[in-house]
């Protein structure tokens, strides 16, 4: 380094400050971050080198977080709609004008029936403070409809909780010591990068990696083996593995006897699934099924990284229940590097009632709206079973017009002139375009929060690095101010963000002072949590036959050959729509440097399917079914298996070629468990767009 540079760099060090932060996004990795601030401006966002799972590295998206925060298109003052809904024509107004008007509108609706007001939120930020704290208090006090937050993971989480008693599993670090890792329904390189680093470590130590995925993903490329099954057939594969474990005595009888309940009935069922039957359902060969069962029976320790990609189908819940039984059958839990991880969020002792205050309902029991059927629900009239027509929506931490299934109906619903819509956002998303008011929210660099994780077992803090830009306010502050205007005078509406952050955990579980000091705190948990059983179920056993659920079974897709042969004849291609690597759901689609990497909305199609339709690489195609159609660019590639197309998501509609995205063709039917959408249980046809 020459001396001029050395001086520059010394000055930088002197004038800059490092702030401890956490990545807010809906991703299992929940990275610990270090934010460098210079002269009141964030100049760098990096992974914390000391945090064990972050290990100093951020994904490409979040390393651009400052670019997103300082984006010239940030909404920095409240906006009021002046054009037709969806036109995106707004004028800036003062906070007072916006909040006074919103409070007046909500008060008038609430006077008739507060359930006509619906909060709509998901995991734009996973923070316990800016997610559901003050907002939940506000809607509970109001008596608004409750929201069933099902859009992502409820099929798998409820299934896992039915089986193990909670969303609990292996410590992610211990996968480094596994000898066999099944990466099941997860494109880890794209959506669980820090787990992938650990799996790589296991691979270097000699572990075998097997990817189970209908798409030849970036992750599948790098595993030793790829089982490219048909979407929604994972339950059948699990039954086939059980069949082989029974037939070749790969079972740990002692573990089954002492730590499970209900095995005999499932054993009978599994015996009806010989490898040939499984192969026919899954689109695999019988030898692939046999070989996987042999590896799973003979390799110790064996670990499964199950992820939510495989539960976005009708039978997603049952499939998770079946797969979750496998580690018990072979006694994989005996070793800390054996077992399964779908979600670790149940380990965190979050004081949700303190944060969200359901007691403010004061005995009222409002109806519940399922966020996954918002399209249908916005179009419903009043009825005894549904309750009042939805008259107002308050959207925060979510972009439903882009991400909810069957967007033709979602768009019609949001276009209703008699619907009053408020959107708290950073940007003019597809949803914000339909708002009556858009309120500018702060980003993670501008507010305080505390975080759990669903992929590791550390609690984290996010300190604000900079003052809010423009007139942006944290979600909490917006709901505090609305509460004041509504005349809600309970003391809990005056809690500061720091007070909320302190309420998130009991001190004996996660000490706030320690969190501030170190940035993160590891939960005190056993190394091999179920080595001696001790599942968080009433009996301490893994519930194979869970009360209210019965014995798990293979449940075929809504839109598959078993349930809908006539539909399959008309729409011969199955479609899945997993995320593009450089977006986080619909977040970051408007960050140009990331959008440039993704290029355009793509449909991966196998060369045979493309040839049969006269579709060439890079040509514009129509993807359609009875619900709608959208246009995107064909990528002719063996990443798609024959008969299955992959529509990579989730583009902003307005940034796609014809103002639509992949959810134009998805549907609102739900999963077997957890009332979740079936984004990957869809039939379509594809044709070339002439010219
Ligand atoms: N880069 C990036 N990371 C993300 C996200 C993102 O949008 N972008 N989203 C975040 C969110 S909200 C979530 S919930 C997680 C999602 O991450 P995951 O839980 O990993 O789920 P998906 O990415 O939906 O799908 C993972 C893989 O499952 C495959 N898959 C689809 N259908 C089936 C099936 O029927 N069976 C099997 N075995 N596999 C199937 C897909 O092809 C895909 O490769 O990732 C988070 N991380
Ligand atoms: N076809 C198809 N559809 C899917 C999926 C799929 O795989 N295929 N995946 C589904 C899944 S897994 C999920 S989780 C959902 C995700 O759906 P959403 O949770 O809606 O996720 P995002 O699209 O990332 O939108 C989050 C929005 O929150 C905003 N936001 C972030 N932080 C804050 C904040 O602090 N305050 C406020 N007010 N706003 C904030 C962001 O700017 C962003 O616009 O999509 C689902 N939709
Ligand atoms: Mo998700």
């Amino acid at each position: 380094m020459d001396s001029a540079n050395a001086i520059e760099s010394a000055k930088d060090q002197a004038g800059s400050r490092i702030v401890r932060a956490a990545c807010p996004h809906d991703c299992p990795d929940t990275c610990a971050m270090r934010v460098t601030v210079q002269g009141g401006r964030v100049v760098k966002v990096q992974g914390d080198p000391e945090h064990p799972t972050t290990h100093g590295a951020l994904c490409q998206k979040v390393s651009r977080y400052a670019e997103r925060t300082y984006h010239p298109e940030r909404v920095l003052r409240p906006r009021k709609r002046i054009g037709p809904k969806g036109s995106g024509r707004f004028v800036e107004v003062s906070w007072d004008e916006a909040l006074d008007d919103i409070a007046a509108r909500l008060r008038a609706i609430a006077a008739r029936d507060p359930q006509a007001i619906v909060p709509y939120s998901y995991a734009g930020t996973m923070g316990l403070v800016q997610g559901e704290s003050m907002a939940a208090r506000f809607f509970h006090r109001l008596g608004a409809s409750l929201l069933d937050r099902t859009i992502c993971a409820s099929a798998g989480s409820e299934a896992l909780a039915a089986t193990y008693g909670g969303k609990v599993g292996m410590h992610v670090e211990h996968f480094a010591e596994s000898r066999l890792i099944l990466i099941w329904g997860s494109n880890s390189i794209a959506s669980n990068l820090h787990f992938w680093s650990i799996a790589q470590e296991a691979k270097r130590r000699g572990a075998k990696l097997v990817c189970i995925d209908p798409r030849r993903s970036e992750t599948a490329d790098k595993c030793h083996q790829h089982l490219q099954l048909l979407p929604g057939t994972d339950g059948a594969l699990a039954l086939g593995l059980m069949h082989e474990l029974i037939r070749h005595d790969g079972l740990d009888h002692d573990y089954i006897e002492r730590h499970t309940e209900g095995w005999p009935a499932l054993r009978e069922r599994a015996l009806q699934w010989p490898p040939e039957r499984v192969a026919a359902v899954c689109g695999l060969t019988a030898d692939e099924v046999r070989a996987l069962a042999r590896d799973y029976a003979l390799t110790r320790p064996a670990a499964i990284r199950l992820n939510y990609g495989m539960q976005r189908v009708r039978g997603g819940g049952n499939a998770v229940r079946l797969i979750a039984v496998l580690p018990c059958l072979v006694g994989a839990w005996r070793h800390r590097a054996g077992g399964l991880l779908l979600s670790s969020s149940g380990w965190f002792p979050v004081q949700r009632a303190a944060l969200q205050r359901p007691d403010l309902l004061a005995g009222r029991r409002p109806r519940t709206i399922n966020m996954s059927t918002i399209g249908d629900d916005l179009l419903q009239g009043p009825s005894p079973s549904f309750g009042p027509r939805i008259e107002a929506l308050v959207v925060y931490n979510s972009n439903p017009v882009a991400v909810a299934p069957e967007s033709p109906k979602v768009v019609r619903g949001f276009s209703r002139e008699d619907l009053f819509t408020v959107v708290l956002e950073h940007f003019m998303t597809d949803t914000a375009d339909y708002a009556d008011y858009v309120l500018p929210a702060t980003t993670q660099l501008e507010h305080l929060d505390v975080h759990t994780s669903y992929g590791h077992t550390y609690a984290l803090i996010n300190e604000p690095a900079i003052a809010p830009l423009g007139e942006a306010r944290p979600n909490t502050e917006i709901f505090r101010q609305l509460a004041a205007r509504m005349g809600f005078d309970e003391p809990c509406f005056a809690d500061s963000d720091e007070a909320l952050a302190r309420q998130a955990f009991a001190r004996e579980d996660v000490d706030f002072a320690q969190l501030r000091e170190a940035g993160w705190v590891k939960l005190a948990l056993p190394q091999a949590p179920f080595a001696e059983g001790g599942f968080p179920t009433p009996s301490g056993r893994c519930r194979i036959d869970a009360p209210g659920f019965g014995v798990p079974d293979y449940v075929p897709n809504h839109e598959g050959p078993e349930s809908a042969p006539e539909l399959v004849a008309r729409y011969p291609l199955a479609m899945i729509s997993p995320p593009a690597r450089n977006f986080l759901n619909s977040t970051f689609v408007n960050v140009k440097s990331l959008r440039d990497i993704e290029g355009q909305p793509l449909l991966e199609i196998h060369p045979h399917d493309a040839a049969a339709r006269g579709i060439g690489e890079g040509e514009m195609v129509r993807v359609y079914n009875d619900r709608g159609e959208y246009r995107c660019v064909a990528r002719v590639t063996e990443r798609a298996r024959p008969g299955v197309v992959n529509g990579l998501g989730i583009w902003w509609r307005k940034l796609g070629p014809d103002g639509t995205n992949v959810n134009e063709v998805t549907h609102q039917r739900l999963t077997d468990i957890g009332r979740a959408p079936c984004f990957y249980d869809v039939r379509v046809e594809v044709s070339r767009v002439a010219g």
Side-chain angles (χ1 to χ4, degrees):
M1 189 190 281
D2 67 39
S3 60
N5 272 345
I7 292 164
E8 255 331 290
S9 144
K11 257 202 261 167
D12 284 3
Q13 307 261 300
S16 69
R17 191 160 66 81
I18 306 252
V19 179
R20 295 195 176 281
C23 175
H25 291 295
D26 185 353
C27 167
D29 293 17
T30 312
C31 291
M33 308 197 299
R34 290 191 176 180
V35 178
T36 310
V37 185
Q38 239 168 42
R41 199 178 161 88
V42 171
V43 293
K44 220 185 284 169
V45 180
Q46 290 167 296
D48 182 345
E50 282 162 26
H51 182 250
T53 61
T54 306
H55 210 67
L58 294 178
C59 66
Q60 177 148 259
K61 307 177 287 300
V62 175
S63 60
R64 308 277 170 90
Y65 200 84
E67 188 180 338
R68 185 172 183 278
T69 291
Y70 294 114
H71 197 296
E73 289 161 13
R74 266 288 292 280
V75 177
L76 294 175
R77 275 169 62 77
R79 293 185 188 185
K80 180 183 178 162
R81 181 171 64 88
I82 48 166
K85 291 205 171 189
S87 68
R89 287 176 47 218
F90 289 79
V91 284
E92 290 190 342
V93 294
S94 70
W95 269 109
D96 278 338
E97 181 182 340
L99 292 175
D100 286 344
D101 195 22
I102 293 166
R105 298 284 299 264
L106 295 182
R107 212 181 296 114
I109 297 169
R112 294 190 293 277
D113 186 344
Q115 298 179 99
I117 301 169
V118 176
Y120 196 98
S121 70
Y122 201 63
T125 168
M126 301 276 292
L128 296 173
V129 175
Q130 306 304 336
E132 293 308 318
S133 66
M134 202 51 84
R137 292 176 182 187
F138 177 82
F139 291 109
H140 284 146
R141 172 67 178 75
L142 186 61
S145 288
L146 303 172
L147 188 72
D148 199 5
R149 291 187 171 78
T150 55
I151 202 151
C152 167
S154 56
S157 345
E158 291 189 17
L160 192 70
T163 314
Y164 294 167
K167 287 185 263 177
V168 291
M170 289 172 61
H171 295 253
V172 68
E173 296 94 318
H174 296 163
F175 280 83
E177 300 157 18
S178 309
R179 303 288 302 166
L180 173 69
I181 303 179
L182 310 188
I183 300 179
W184 200 324
S186 167
N187 182 5
S188 315
I189 292 181
S191 63
N192 193 185
L193 188 61
H194 296 77
F195 159 75
W196 179 250
S197 310
I198 296 168
Q200 289 292 96
E201 172 62 23
K203 192 178 175 187
R204 280 191 293 275
R205 298 187 195 174
K208 179 172 181 181
L209 271 45
V210 181
C211 180
I212 304 175
D213 194 316
R215 175 170 184 250
R216 183 153 188 102
S217 63
E218 297 85 336
T219 307
D221 282 340
K222 300 219 160 63
C223 287
H224 297 97
Q225 200 183 343
H226 177 208
L227 294 186
Q228 200 168 6
L229 80 184
L230 287 164
T233 62
D234 303 86
L237 178 59
L239 284 162
L241 297 179
M242 289 177 197
H243 179 278
E244 292 300 283
L245 293 174
I246 299 165
R247 282 280 183 244
H248 302 286
D249 201 20
L251 300 172
D252 183 333
H253 297 283
D254 174 63
Y255 195 95
I256 294 172
E257 177 67 29
R258 291 197 293 138
H259 304 310
T260 70
E261 57 198 25
W263 170 239
L266 181 56
R267 184 180 181 281
E268 287 315 303
R269 180 160 286 163
L271 284 172
Q272 295 157 27
W273 284 89
E276 290 71 20
R277 180 178 176 201
V278 175
V281 169
C282 299
L284 298 171
T285 66
D287 281 342
E288 284 177 306
V289 181
R290 282 191 203 99
L292 182 64
R294 203 177 313 119
D295 280 344
Y296 192 63
L298 298 179
T299 318
R300 291 281 165 280
I304 301 176
R305 184 54 168 113
L306 192 60
N307 228 323
Y308 289 115
M310 48 70 63
Q311 48 98 68
R312 309 191 203 290
V313 293
R314 178 178 170 211
N318 268 274
V320 167
R321 289 182 62 213
L322 288 164
I323 295 164
V325 169
L326 291 169
C328 297
L329 299 184
V330 299
W333 287 112
R334 290 182 190 275
H335 193 290
R336 70 176 194 172
L340 175 143
L341 177 61
L342 171 59
S343 169
S344 57
S345 62
W347 291 123
F348 290 87
V350 177
Q351 306 198 112
R352 287 226 155 64
L355 286 173
Q356 304 183 1
R357 298 293 303 272
D359 57 295
L360 293 166
L361 284 169
R364 294 167 297 176
R365 303 187 64 191
R367 67 160 169 207
T368 298
I369 295 289
N370 185 343
M371 71 187 301
S372 301
T373 54
I374 192 66
D376 280 343
D377 291 344
L378 283 174
L379 299 174
Q380 285 251 15
S383 73
S385 60
F386 182 67
R389 186 167 171 82
I390 298 176
E391 292 184 62
L393 266 182
V394 182
V395 182
Y396 51 103
N397 303 338
S398 186
N399 183 11
V401 171
V403 306
E406 203 174 358
S407 34
K409 286 191 178 167
V410 180
V411 168
R412 259 170 55 214
F414 271 84
S415 305
R416 273 175 43 200
E417 276 303 327
D418 61 342
L419 179 73
F420 179 62
T421 304
V422 178
V423 176
L424 285 61
E425 252 302 346
H426 301 148
F427 293 105
M428 291 306 292
T429 59
D430 289 327
T431 305
D433 282 347
Y434 289 86
D436 293 281
Y437 283 99
V438 181
L439 302 178
T442 45
T443 69
Q444 191 77 341
L445 302 180
E446 302 153 82
H447 56 224
L448 175 73
D449 221 323
V450 286
H451 287 257
T452 62
S453 165
Y454 59 100
H456 64 62
T457 45
Y458 301 82
L460 302 94
I461 194 163
N462 180 76
E463 303 271 11
I466 52 170
L469 299 190
E471 295 179 15
R473 292 178 179 174
N475 290 344
T476 44
E477 179 61 14
I478 298 173
F479 285 105
R480 240 180 242 122
Q481 303 240 342
L482 272 177
R485 282 175 169 75
M486 301 288 286
F488 300 166
D489 52 11
E490 289 79 358
C492 71
F493 288 106
D495 283 353
S496 67
D497 282 8
E498 183 174 330
L500 290 163
R502 288 177 183 276
Q503 289 159 24
F505 301 105
R507 178 174 305 164
E508 60 276 21
D509 293 324
V510 178
D511 182 60
F512 192 72
Q514 202 187 336
L515 206 51
R516 277 224 144 133
E517 173 71 30
W520 39 269
V521 172
K522 171 103 181 157
L523 299 179
L525 296 170
Q527 292 286 304
F530 311 127
E532 285 299 323
F535 292 93
T537 56
S539 63
R541 289 166 179 258
C542 166
R543 287 185 301 209
I544 295 172
D545 182 358
F549 292 91
V551 180
D553 202 353
Y554 165 60
V555 177
N557 278 358
H558 287 295
E559 302 206 337
E562 296 100 320
S563 320
E566 168 275 340
L567 185 79
V568 168
R570 277 196 296 138
Y571 295 112
L573 297 168
M575 188 193 77
I576 60 174
S577 48
R581 183 171 174 182
N582 291 287
F583 302 148
L584 196 297
N585 301 321
S586 76
T587 304
F588 295 106
V589 180
N590 63 325
V591 174
K592 190 168 178 309
S593 63
L594 294 169
R595 190 167 73 242
D596 286 348
I597 302 172
E598 291 299 333
Q600 282 180 284
L602 292 178
L603 185 84
E604 295 175 345
I605 182 166
H606 188 272
H608 294 164
D609 292 326
R613 292 166 178 77
I615 295 168
E617 167 66 23
E619 288 184 326
M620 187 67 74
V621 289
R622 276 172 70 216
V623 182
Y624 61 96
N625 58 25
D626 292 342
R627 293 177 286 271
E629 76 168 65
Y630 82 106
R631 285 178 188 212
C632 60
V633 171
R635 170 141 301 166
V636 179
T637 166
E638 291 186 2
R639 287 210 182 283
R641 61 161 286 161
V644 181
V645 289
N646 313 325
L648 301 184
I650 310 172
W651 280 74
W652 284 18
R653 291 164 60 85
K654 59 183 166 187
L655 296 176
D658 63 346
T660 58
N661 74 11
V662 68
N663 278 315
E664 200 72 8
V665 294
T666 55
H667 58 79
Q668 298 177 70
R669 267 165 293 166
L670 302 176
T671 50
D672 53 349
I673 296 173
R675 310 160 305 285
C678 297
F679 290 117
Y680 303 169
D681 174 354
V682 169
R683 306 300 297 197
V684 296
E685 182 52 290
V686 180
S687 66
R688 198 165 71 91
V689 176

